[in-house]
Amino acid sequence: MTIRKFKAATMKDALLLVKDELGPQAVILNTRKTGNALFGGERYEVTAGLDESAQKKAAPEYAMTYSPKKLKKNSEGRYIDSPVFGSDSATAVMERPMRESTVLPEFNSPAQSEFRSLTAGIDAMRSAVYSIADQAAEKSKESALPPALARISDALEQNEVSPAHVQQLIEQIKKGLPAESANDDVALRRRLFAAVESDMPVSGHIKKGLDRARRIALVGPTGVGKTTTIAKLAAHFRLRENLKVALIAADNYRMAAIEQIQQFAGISNIPLEIVYTDDEMKAALEKFSRFDMVFIDTAGRSQRNIEHMNDLRRTLLALDPDEVHLTVSVTTKMKDLRVIERKYSEIGYHRLIVTKLDETISYGTLYNLVKESGKAISYISTGQSIPDDLSLADSRSLANLIAGGGAA
Ligand SMILES: Nc1nc2c(ncn2[C@@H]2O[C@H](COP(=O)(O)OP(=O)(O)O)[C@@H](O)[C@H]2O)c(=O)[nH]1
Ligand SMILES: [Mg+2]
């Protein structure tokens, strides 16, 4: 890693120097004000690094796979720990700020390797249980479903709903089904649609804060569309709902990422603070405390890197967010999504934002993710246009993607 210091009269000029010398992949390690307003003026110092070997680093030695914890159902055939929020209870959950206790303590280095091998062991075990559940589902499927149900089952699997979930849905549809409807495609589709719809909780729009600016953080892996989604949300609430909206960009940003959000803030005339330390975060929050909402863009974090996750944990502790939205792309493999979901649920998040729906033709992943995480979806992103390609999630449209137009 090459580490260098850059000084200039303004923060912007110092950042430009970083970009010129180290390029867009540079990581900002520290910033500070130096000099004195009376003697020669204030100066800004930016410490930046460039990790030339980052691309070549081997993947961690441990394989992390994860299986859902929610295969248990109650006597009515519903998942026990997968709450379905009605709009009222969703609001209640939305209004509850995230407590510190939902942010778990850090895993410090002496325990890290032990923790890692323990996690790997548990993950491998869960993965085995999950694939056994899928295999069992496959097997029992062979025990001859009526043709109409078999068609539904095939369609769901084509849409990449996990076999175990497909089986649960089929059982749910069959329950109490009048004998004469067993091969009635329309009736079965309608039942399927209703079952999927009630399995897809949504949270409704973000609401403005009452006694202080509502703090909304987006977290998630790199490249899923966090910054783009924040821009869409900020633009929506600022321009369409005329609310007072501000942006905070947190953590060690790559130059390219700083420029991206700075450009957006400039064009849309939405105030932005770039923060590197807890104190800067506090100052920015104070500055924006009388706004309606403040969106916090966090650096993309690899869920496989414990240090990255601990950085994020620290950022969230300093931030004390009201809501954390885990942002994931629907194009990510289900296996990886399970790992991502679990890693972020260790830190604590409230909502799911799912992006890149325009880049896939199968949406079963949405169902699997919601069912297994028990979290409600807040927004859906369907492209790169700001702010148009963002929709408020609604259960009916989601069910439509997953189960097709059965609601006719
Ligand atoms: N096709 C498509 N591209 C998207 C979507 N959301 C974001 N992107 C693009 O994905 C890339 C990464 O987005 P960015 O917001 O920088 O991701 P971040 O690293 O999570 O902040 C950019 O090129 C975005 O324009 C989406 O819903 N669909
Ligand atoms: Mg970003």
Side-chain angles (χ1 to χ4, degrees):
M1 178 117 173
T2 311
I3 295 182
R4 293 182 49 195
K5 287 189 169 137
F6 299 86
K7 284 187 188 173
T10 66
M11 181 62 82
K12 195 171 168 208
D13 287 345
L15 289 171
L16 280 175
L17 283 177
V18 174
K19 190 184 162 210
D20 284 349
E21 302 271 326
L22 297 180
Q25 294 309 317
V27 172
I28 313 301
L29 301 171
N30 192 27
T31 62
R32 68 187 184 105
K33 229 186 243 182
T34 63
N36 182 304
L38 288 178
F39 302 100
E42 288 177 344
R43 310 262 304 157
Y44 291 83
E45 181 187 278
V46 176
T47 310
L50 184 63
D51 187 359
E52 299 89 348
S53 66
Q55 251 82 6
K56 297 177 215 135
K57 253 184 215 153
E61 71 284 2
Y62 54 98
M64 288 209 280
T65 48
Y66 174 61
S67 59
K69 37 195 183 297
K70 299 181 180 63
L71 290 172
K72 275 192 252 146
K73 290 197 300 181
N74 67 13
S75 54
E76 285 137 36
R78 299 196 67 82
Y79 283 90
I80 290 165
D81 35 8
S82 172
V84 177
F85 302 117
S87 50
D88 287 351
S89 58
T91 313
V93 173
M94 291 279 281
E95 295 309 326
R96 193 177 63 218
M98 187 168 84
R99 290 280 149 248
E100 221 161 84
S101 58
T102 61
V103 179
L104 295 184
E106 288 174 29
F107 301 108
N108 284 322
S109 35
Q112 262 176 25
S113 64
E114 248 182 85
F115 169 73
R116 227 178 271 187
S117 58
L118 195 68
T119 314
I122 294 170
D123 284 338
M125 235 157 57
R126 283 185 173 149
S127 180
V129 172
Y130 189 73
S131 69
I132 289 167
D134 272 353
Q135 279 165 21
E138 286 287 344
K139 254 224 167 88
S140 73
K141 199 180 71 177
E142 287 156 20
S143 59
L145 284 172
L149 272 176
R151 280 195 289 278
I152 285 190
S153 167
D154 285 348
L156 286 171
E157 276 187 36
Q158 282 298 315
N159 212 4
E160 293 183 18
V161 177
S162 293
H165 298 316
V166 174
Q167 194 192 13
Q168 306 251 5
L169 281 168
I170 294 292
E171 273 165 23
Q172 210 172 320
I173 296 170
K174 279 194 330 202
K175 198 163 259 178
L177 182 71
E180 67 273 17
S181 300
N183 254 327
D184 178 345
D185 280 294
V186 175
L188 292 175
R189 288 229 150 251
R190 209 169 273 158
R191 290 172 81 92
L192 170 71
F193 190 91
V196 171
E197 187 180 4
S198 78
D199 275 344
M200 299 301 289
V202 296
S203 65
H205 263 309
I206 293 168
K207 296 172 184 62
K208 67 177 185 176
L210 295 177
D211 45 2
R212 68 170 199 195
R214 192 154 183 89
R215 301 172 183 177
I216 304 114
L218 266 64
V219 300
T222 48
V224 292
K226 292 180 297 302
T227 307
T228 311
T229 304
I230 284 201
K232 290 172 184 172
L233 286 168
H236 169 84
F237 287 108
R238 171 75 192 82
L239 304 174
R240 293 186 180 152
E241 308 216 358
N242 209 15
L243 294 179
K244 273 190 93 178
V245 173
L247 301 167
I248 296 180
D251 230 321
N252 299 343
Y253 263 71
R254 290 182 189 287
M255 277 306 301
I258 294 179
E259 282 188 327
Q260 182 190 5
I261 197 154
Q262 269 177 337
Q263 265 178 16
F264 167 73
I267 293 167
S268 58
N269 206 13
I270 293 176
L272 161 74
E273 285 290 319
I274 296 170
V275 304
Y276 297 92
T277 63
D278 288 2
D279 286 345
E280 287 169 355
M281 171 75 90
K282 296 223 160 77
L285 289 171
E286 181 59 35
K287 179 171 171 187
F288 297 140
S289 65
R290 297 197 161 262
F291 281 59
D292 293 317
M293 35 179 80
V294 46
F295 290 95
I296 297 91
D297 192 14
T298 62
R301 287 310 190 198
S302 164
Q303 66 281 357
R304 301 182 62 161
N305 183 319
I306 288 182
E307 269 315 304
H308 282 188
M309 294 308 277
N310 279 341
D311 280 351
L312 179 63
R313 211 182 292 264
R314 276 188 283 271
T315 303
L316 291 179
L317 277 170
L319 171 64
D320 183 24
D322 297 306
E323 37 190 283
V324 177
H325 297 240
L326 172 59
T327 311
V328 292
S329 163
V330 74
T331 60
T332 306
K333 289 200 294 272
M334 196 58 224
K335 240 181 174 170
D336 296 329
L337 275 178
R338 289 194 175 106
V339 178
I340 291 164
E341 196 283 321
R342 190 173 64 74
K343 286 285 155 198
Y344 282 90
S345 69
E346 280 171 9
I347 291 183
Y349 74 92
H350 304 92
R351 302 275 174 252
L352 286 164
I353 291 176
V354 186
T355 64
K356 310 206 181 182
L357 263 76
D358 55 313
E359 289 190 353
T360 186
I361 51 163
S362 54
Y363 305 95
T365 300
L366 275 168
Y367 182 82
N368 301 335
L369 186 64
V370 168
K371 193 87 191 174
E372 292 165 26
S373 68
K375 294 290 202 294
I377 300 189
S378 53
Y379 296 93
I380 294 291
S381 164
T382 53
Q384 296 175 291
S385 288
I386 300 170
D388 292 335
D389 291 341
L390 188 75
S391 317
L392 180 66
D394 83 282
S395 303
R396 235 178 136 70
S397 316
L398 292 170
N400 216 7
L401 291 174
I402 295 153

